[in-house]
Amino acid sequence: MSGEANAPGAGPLSGVTVLDLSALGPGPFCSMVLADFGANVIALERPGQPEDFDPSQFFSRGKKSIVIDLRNPAGADLIRQLAAKVDVFIEGFRPGTMERRGLGPEILLELNPRLIYTRLTGYGQTGPSAHIAGHDINYIASAGMLGVLGDRENGPAVPLNLLGDFAGGSMSAALGTVLALFQRMSTGRGQVVDAAMVDGASALLAAQLAENSAGLWRGPGTSILSGRAPFYTAYRCSDDGWFAVGAIEERFYVQMIQALGLDIDTIPTRSDPKNWDKLRGLFTEAFAAAPRDHWTREFGKVDACGSAVLDLDELVDDPHLKARRTVFRNSEGIVEASPAPRLSGFEPSSTPRVQARGQHTRDVLAGFGIAPEEIGLLEHAGAIYQADMATIGG
């Protein structure tokens, strides 16, 4: 089920088979990234009916779905059989959980010395907080990231779970997995990837940590990039749309003032932060005088780092995103984002999402050489589940 060779035009991860047990959002997003670039990803999901809100389905693009009950001894034994034949094994449980099921890296790497065993957790496999429960807000708080957002008066600005779960977690796990696969090409050996969301989030603070070490960090809300500066923030327009400006450099700032119809010689200088409140007032009044589309046109005539703040339902029709197919409507009518980054030697194809948990259980197991009668016995024992696609319309 594994291999290193890529056919011409195939994805860079073609020939790599991934077994993903991670279940919750960050893990499935990580394995979707691998699938986007050619990996054969098998999502191993839990038995039982999914919740109405099932985030793993959002990240099922290009995957196969099987249901195995790892609490069932026959199910755990089956997972070991599969892990012996794959390249990558991804899990997202608290430290020690997989070991108690007989599915820890020590056992699986003995069965498959070339296995990349990727562990994606909030706090990592070691340290005082390793076993503590948490969510994105807790991880970025512990990493120091939440502390640099917002300002002193209003406190931290709580973001969506993009920074800890996905930027700090999923993407560092994907990178670690690919690095381990690359190293395996020279060593012939697998290894354990310890991807912690706290570690990944902290790594994103390189600039702020450097500023702090140099005595230049003044706290949350004080940086030009925090939105404090009137030339690096977003303004409400007359139609309640928003427009963002990032005119840090002087040449961009001059053209921003021109686009707003103001005279740079008659407004306060921005070099003195004491003038920023007055400048913000002038810019607020200017933007409020016209709708967002007007400012999109005006800033399109200059080079001033200005952008309309797009809503989600606008993305698919945005001229730039549409031209690059950055966001598109797939064959199922679902709007999604294209894989990133882009490679000149590989063009990702639009692949379907999983329609139901356990959609591919029998086919996948058969592909691993499991005999039909054994598959039947596993079903009877409740160790596996196959979705009835006829009732779903598949």
Side-chain angles (χ1 to χ4, degrees), residues 132-387:
I132 296 177
H135 285 293
D136 184 283
I137 190 171
N138 308 113
Y139 308 141
I140 64 172
S142 298
M145 180 173 283
L146 190 60
V148 304
L149 304 176
D151 55 54
R152 289 194 180 97
E153 182 179 349
N154 299 299
V158 179
L160 294 174
N161 65 324
L162 301 174
L163 300 178
D165 282 357
F166 299 113
S170 305
M171 298 310 290
S172 64
L175 174 61
T177 299
V178 172
L179 291 174
L181 285 168
F182 184 80
Q183 189 171 39
R184 190 182 72 175
M185 294 173 64
S186 59
T187 66
R189 297 190 302 273
Q191 61 182 293
V192 177
V193 176
D194 180 1
M197 298 176 200
V198 167
D199 294 351
S202 290
L204 297 174
L205 290 174
Q208 287 71 37
L209 289 170
E211 286 183 35
N212 193 52
S213 296
L216 302 175
W217 179 253
R218 299 290 181 259
T222 61
S223 169
I224 286 178
L225 302 181
S226 69
R228 172 174 174 256
F231 46 85
Y232 195 92
T233 188
Y235 292 94
R236 187 191 295 271
C237 306
S238 66
D239 58 353
D240 285 334
W242 290 82
F243 199 88
V245 291
I248 297 176
E249 293 83 356
E250 183 65 21
R251 66 183 185 278
F252 299 139
Y253 181 69
V254 169
Q255 294 182 74
M256 170 188 158
I257 300 304
Q258 176 186 333
L260 289 174
L262 299 173
D263 184 351
I264 198 167
D265 294 325
T266 62
I267 63 174
T269 176
R270 69 166 182 167
S271 60
D272 186 352
K274 293 179 181 178
N275 294 329
W276 285 5
D277 286 343
K278 187 169 183 179
L279 285 171
R280 185 182 297 273
L282 291 172
F283 301 160
T284 298
E285 183 178 355
F287 276 107
R292 191 191 67 181
D293 286 350
H294 167 82
W295 296 117
T296 300
R297 289 191 298 271
E298 291 302 306
F299 274 78
K301 301 172 185 177
V302 296
D303 194 19
C305 300
S307 308
V309 178
L310 300 181
D311 294 328
L312 292 178
D313 57 8
E314 296 179 291
L315 301 182
V316 73
D317 294 318
D318 176 74
H320 180 78
L321 302 183
K322 190 173 184 178
R324 289 177 60 81
R325 208 167 184 261
T326 300
V327 178
F328 65 98
R329 193 178 303 276
N330 66 20
S331 60
E332 300 166 332
I334 298 171
V335 176
E336 58 182 340
S338 290
R342 297 167 191 241
L343 305 178
S344 63
F346 170 62
E347 182 67 33
S349 59
S350 181
T351 51
R353 299 185 186 205
V354 170
Q355 292 178 272
R357 290 186 176 192
Q359 178 179 345
H360 308 97
T361 301
R362 293 182 193 137
D363 288 343
V364 167
L365 295 183
F368 275 85
I370 311 280
E373 54 270 23
E374 185 176 351
I375 293 174
L377 290 172
L378 289 165
E379 283 190 83
H380 182 72
I384 66 173
Y385 167 77
Q386 167 70 47

Side-chain angles (χ1 to χ4, degrees), residues 7-31:
L13 296 179
S14 176
V16 172
T17 298
V18 178
L19 186 62
D20 179 11
L21 281 72
S22 57
L24 297 178
F29 184 85
C30 167
S31 62

